[in-house]
Amino acid sequence: MPNSKAKTLETLLSEERLFPPSKQFSAQANANDFDIYKKAANDPEAFWASFASQLVWRKKWDKILEWNRPDAKWFVGGKLNITESCLDVHVASDRRHKAAFIWEGEPGDRRILTYYELYRAVCKFANALKKLGVEKGDRVAIYMPMIPELPIALLACARIGAVHSVVFGGFSPESLRERINDAGAKLLITADGGWRRGRIIPLKHDADIALEGCPTIRDVIVFKRGDFPVHITEGRDHWWHRLVDGAAPDCEPEIMDAEDPLFTLYTSGTTGKPKGILHTIGGYLTGVYATTKLVFDMKPQDLFWCTADIGWVTGHSYVVYGPLACGVTQLIYEGAPDWPDKNRFWKLIEDYGVTIFYTAPTAIRSFMRWGVKWPKMHNLSSLRLLGSVGEPINPEAWMWYQEHIGGDNCPIVDTWWQTETGHIMIAPLPGLIPTKPGSATKAFPGISAAVFDEQGNEIVEGGGFLGITKPWPGMARTIWGDHERFVKTYWSKWPHAYFPADGVKVDQDGYLWLLGRVDDVMLVAGHNLSTMEVESALVDHQMVAEAAVVGIQHEIKGQAPIAFVTLKGGIEASNDLAAQLKEHVAQKIGNIARPEQIIFSSDLPKTRSGKIMRRLLRDIATGKVLGDTTTLADPSVVEELKMKYEED
Ligand code: WT7
């Protein structure tokens, strides 16, 4: 029963600004009729099937969905190879010689791959994999920099029915080893190295360390990105260029079942053993295709730039499969946004004429900290749509993004989803939904998202937990090798909904405001407060660049918020400023949220994907021994923070 009184999360921030899309944008948008929501709600299966029908199938499905909670089968009986929708179909069309990827390396080297060239490269490499004995169902680990060979490697696996398992190139040898062993991978694809901030990331060297403890790996393929020194183990290691030299440029695609596995990807997770999230082919392709087309309003003439590394699910879904299925041109860039200068991204947008730009709030806050002078050096008027993903975007960052990157002329799509959901779940359709800064707005058509209290009662206005009540095509099918954990983690909280473990509030207009992970909620004087809202109030202060809030034990209140704060360039930390910031939070969202203490720090501990590791900050704040820090961007930050905290 809907119950508007059963609040489970206090929601303090209120944001009233509303930005409807311009008439011009709406008129040209791929989705420009509100009926789409109604139609999809009335018959979600037919809605998804209408997108599946636009893709390439060798045999049509017999049934759209078979649902035995929590086990879903989409497009039952359907046969396909995902690469035919991403490559062959374009090669057979007038997109044959259209650029699929425009790539720029960090040192400034450039390459363009047309659909035809990409097709040939994928086929050649697929033939090379076959020659090394890789077969349908085998797991292949991939540990590479952001170069065209990375998507080529994924697609080549898919071509022959092998299951790819990409490990982000920034991960340590130990993380790589753990993931290879969990997946039982037979082959590893890597490179001699890649460029990052003018330095070489020694991928092959790190892979060699990892492989000291990987008994299932039989062969290693090494792409030569630079002239970086590597050790070659005879019999095990093979140079990519030698393998593809002379390989046939055609490769019959392996015909797969819609429910055969496509990939596993390990969640960045800030706690526990990484989970190998498994996605299957037909539903996943349908979901990424539909969302790319409608949320990013993808058109044949667009140049799409998703800044995520393919090592994350964002890169799988919105660099590889979604955009390629749409047949668009994409920009990919190898390196850091501040190399050689802090205008690199803006220069890329101007030089190539990027039209749609998709990045993360953590990046946007860095851009803000560096200052508007950098984007101001460039003409960004080619942009027509902006996207955000990865964590809640605070209204301050949202407004900055809109004004300084979008020139007040681009809708912003704040897209909520997870590795586990496979594709975007909550986001505006940019031609239809007026946006509110900080809100991901509404569920994508065909997705049933709602807010629940602990017991699973629906909350019609107020805060609670996000739940998804109907199956969707891209949903994870299991955790590799541990179905029980899958059921327990996502499907056991309530009998009627998937549990993503995110806090959310729903406002009077039915807009959804994501509040961060439920592990990050504090219980202050009997009220559940989201750390994200306190952080958002802090970064609203003109001197603050970034903030992370954690709850620590408090004699009277139970828990109290403590804030770790990074200041904008040139601003000095002081006790006065700390007092000002506490007051600012109290003013902005109420006394209950007033931080007990402010700790200034030049940086914050983040995972490689840019998520603040609150668990670590909590440990620091409570003086506990530090947990595993191998997924940290810069472990020394923690040491600095720990010292600061102890000094206070
Ligand atoms: C978690 C999933 C989805 C690709 C990148 C991250 C948070 C993600 C948003 C957003 C608020 C967001 C959630 C989610 N998150 N996007 N637009 N607004 N929070 O994938 O590593 O699986 O992380 O990221 O907490 O559960 P992931």
Side-chain angles (χ1 to χ4, degrees):
M1 269 301 282
N3 174 3
S4 61
K5 287 198 192 79
K7 287 194 179 159
T8 58
L9 253 181
E10 297 293 318
T11 53
L12 305 171
L13 271 183
S14 89
E15 174 58 64
E16 305 288 337
R17 290 169 286 198
L18 190 71
F19 296 93
S22 70
K23 279 213 177 68
Q24 297 91 302
F25 191 96
S26 296
Q28 62 80 59
N30 286 346
N32 57 13
D33 186 345
F34 275 103
D35 255 11
I36 190 173
Y37 284 101
K38 242 186 273 153
K39 277 198 190 137
N42 287 341
D43 193 346
E45 292 179 33
F47 171 79
W48 293 115
S50 74
F51 284 91
S53 308
Q54 299 170 37
L55 299 158
V56 183
W57 295 81
R58 287 297 184 104
K59 176 184 172 286
K60 204 188 156 178
W61 55 90
D62 308 314
K63 199 174 167 201
I64 302 170
L65 171 68
E66 217 173 271
W67 178 229
N68 292 307
R69 187 181 188 281
D71 301 314
K73 284 188 182 147
W74 281 87
F75 307 111
V76 185
K79 305 275 179 201
L80 76 167
N81 185 292
I82 196 167
T83 65
E84 291 200 287
S85 290
C86 295
L87 300 170
D88 305 58
V89 70
H90 307 308
V91 168
S93 77
D94 57 6
R95 294 180 294 284
R96 184 176 179 86
H97 300 301
K98 175 181 178 171
F101 291 121
I102 298 176
W103 173 82
E104 193 170 296
E106 198 186 68
D109 39 346
R110 299 173 170 198
R111 280 167 65 194
I112 292 176
L113 268 101
T114 64
Y115 275 95
Y116 181 68
E117 290 173 303
L118 182 64
Y119 165 85
R120 284 171 56 96
V122 167
C123 287
K124 283 186 172 196
F125 193 61
N127 285 325
L129 290 174
K130 273 185 166 172
K131 215 170 149 192
L132 289 176
V134 180
E135 290 172 3
K136 175 176 172 174
D138 285 344
R139 274 82 58 211
V140 172
I142 302 178
Y143 185 58
M144 294 192 83
M146 273 293 275
I147 55 176
E149 281 67 26
L150 175 51
I152 290 170
L154 271 71
L155 292 162
C157 289
R159 189 81 177 174
I160 64 172
V163 181
H164 56 73
S165 180
V166 183
V167 180
F168 172 55
F171 275 136
S172 64
E174 297 83 75
S175 305
L176 174 61
R177 179 185 300 157
E178 185 177 16
R179 287 159 173 75
I180 287 176
N181 288 340
D182 190 83
K186 187 170 180 180
L187 183 136
L188 172 69
I189 306 168
T190 186
D192 52 350
W195 290 102
R196 183 91 189 164
R197 286 210 176 83
R199 287 207 306 247
I200 298 158
I201 307 288
L203 291 166
K204 176 61 166 65
H205 172 266
D206 287 356
D208 284 338
I209 299 173
L211 293 180
E212 282 164 20
C214 297
T216 57
I217 294 285
R218 295 202 319 225
D219 295 281
V220 178
I221 302 178
V222 189
F223 182 79
K224 199 173 170 66
R225 158 81 184 102
D227 233 336
F228 313 136
V230 292
H231 176 80
I232 293 291
T233 302
E234 288 302 327
R236 184 196 72 180
D237 299 353
H238 316 266
W239 284 110
W240 177 304
H241 57 271
R242 297 230 177 105
L243 288 174
V244 296
D245 188 29
D250 287 298
C251 173
E252 244 336 276
E254 188 74 37
I255 304 309
M256 308 292 286
D257 192 276
E259 280 298 330
D260 277 335
L262 176 63
F263 67 86
T264 61
L265 185 65
Y266 288 79
T267 47
S268 51
T270 47
T271 49
K273 179 172 177 279
K275 303 187 276 284
I277 301 301
L278 180 91
H279 285 287
T280 55
I281 300 167
Y284 173 80
L285 173 63
T286 303
V288 296
Y289 171 69
T291 49
T292 305
K293 197 161 172 182
L294 299 189
V295 176
F296 297 114
D297 192 43
M298 210 65 85
K299 300 277 171 25
Q301 64 273 27
D302 274 312
L303 178 59
F304 181 54
W305 184 19
C306 166
T307 66
D309 193 287
I310 290 173
W312 309 118
V313 74
T314 308
H316 282 58
S317 300
Y318 299 108
V319 179
V320 184
Y321 295 109
L324 290 180
C326 288
V328 295
T329 303
Q330 294 182 81
L331 176 68
I332 36 180
Y333 167 61
E334 176 186 29
D338 54 350
W339 190 265
D341 269 313
K342 295 186 170 64
N343 65 330
R344 185 64 180 270
F345 273 20
W346 321 127
K347 185 168 166 20
L348 285 161
I349 290 175
E350 179 175 13
D351 284 355
Y352 294 102
V354 172
T355 61
I356 306 170
F357 179 67
Y358 189 33
T359 196
T362 177
I364 298 168
R365 286 192 299 272
S366 295
F367 305 148
M368 290 171 76
R369 177 148 46 128
W370 298 339
V372 296
K373 78 168 207 207
W374 300 104
K376 276 207 159 47
M377 290 163 62
H378 296 278
N379 181 348
L380 304 179
S381 62
S382 59
L383 290 171
R384 65 178 197 91
L385 181 66
L386 303 174
S388 171
V389 64
E391 54 176 320
I393 177 164
N394 49 297
E396 182 80 0
W398 196 101
M399 293 299 297
W400 188 94
Y401 196 30
Q402 166 167 268
E403 182 182 348
H404 296 293
I405 307 307
D408 287 324
N409 192 36
C410 300
I412 297 181
V413 289
D414 174 7
T415 62
W416 179 91
W417 57 297
Q418 309 177 295
T419 305
E420 294 86 338
T421 69
H423 51 77
I424 292 168
M425 302 288 280
I426 302 173
L429 292 182
L432 291 172
I433 306 285
T435 52
K436 301 184 183 188
S439 169
T441 75
K442 312 252 176 179
F444 186 79
I447 300 293
S448 301
V451 184
F452 297 104
D453 68 12
E454 189 72 43
Q455 287 71 40
N457 305 301
E458 185 171 348
I459 292 165
V460 290
E461 193 183 330
F465 307 109
L466 182 62
I468 311 290
T469 55
K470 285 202 172 80
W472 64 98
M475 61 197 284
R477 301 301 195 260
T478 192
I479 293 173
W480 183 262
D482 199 347
H483 197 63
E484 205 182 299
R485 188 175 177 202
F486 175 73
V487 177
K488 207 168 141 226
T489 310
Y490 306 110
W491 297 98
S492 299
K493 188 171 181 77
W494 305 303
H496 61 308
Y498 166 82
F499 176 61
D502 271 8
V504 65
K505 84 175 168 191
V506 53
D507 71 13
Q508 68 282 3
D509 304 323
Y511 276 54
L512 298 167
W513 301 74
L514 279 304
L515 300 171
R517 310 292 297 173
V518 292
D519 316 339
D520 296 334
V521 168
M522 306 170 282
L523 188 63
V524 183
H527 300 271
N528 280 308
L529 297 187
S530 134
T531 49
M532 175 259 159
E533 291 200 310
V534 184
E535 288 159 8
S536 196
L538 281 163
V539 292
D540 177 73
H541 190 279
Q542 54 180 14
M543 295 183 188
V544 174
E546 197 149 34
V549 169
V550 294
I552 60 151
Q553 295 315 329
H554 187 278
E555 255 175 58
I556 299 156
K557 303 177 190 164
Q559 276 194 316
I562 291 229
F564 295 83
V565 169
T566 304
L567 295 171
K568 285 191 181 149
I571 302 204
E572 289 278 320
S574 68
N575 286 338
D576 259 11
L577 182 53
Q580 248 186 60
L581 294 182
K582 289 181 191 176
E583 191 48 35
H584 185 77
V585 173
Q587 289 290 328
K588 186 98 188 152
I589 58 176
N591 232 332
I592 183 155
R594 180 193 293 269
E596 194 70 19
Q597 193 174 359
I598 304 272
I599 299 147
F600 293 106
S601 161
S602 58
D603 210 345
L604 295 170
K606 291 190 195 148
T607 62
R608 297 286 186 160
S609 60
K611 289 192 167 63
I612 293 168
M613 295 184 85
R614 291 187 186 73
R615 169 182 60 86
L616 214 65
L617 293 174
R618 257 191 310 268
D619 287 356
I620 292 162
T622 52
K624 258 197 232 151
V625 188
L626 291 182
D628 172 36
T629 59
T630 52
T631 54
L632 273 182
D634 179 5
S636 66
V637 169
V638 186
E639 286 312 307
E640 187 205 345
L641 281 173
K642 200 169 164 233
M643 273 164 55
K644 282 258 167 62
Y645 191 81
E646 284 161 357
E647 273 166 24
D648 260 47

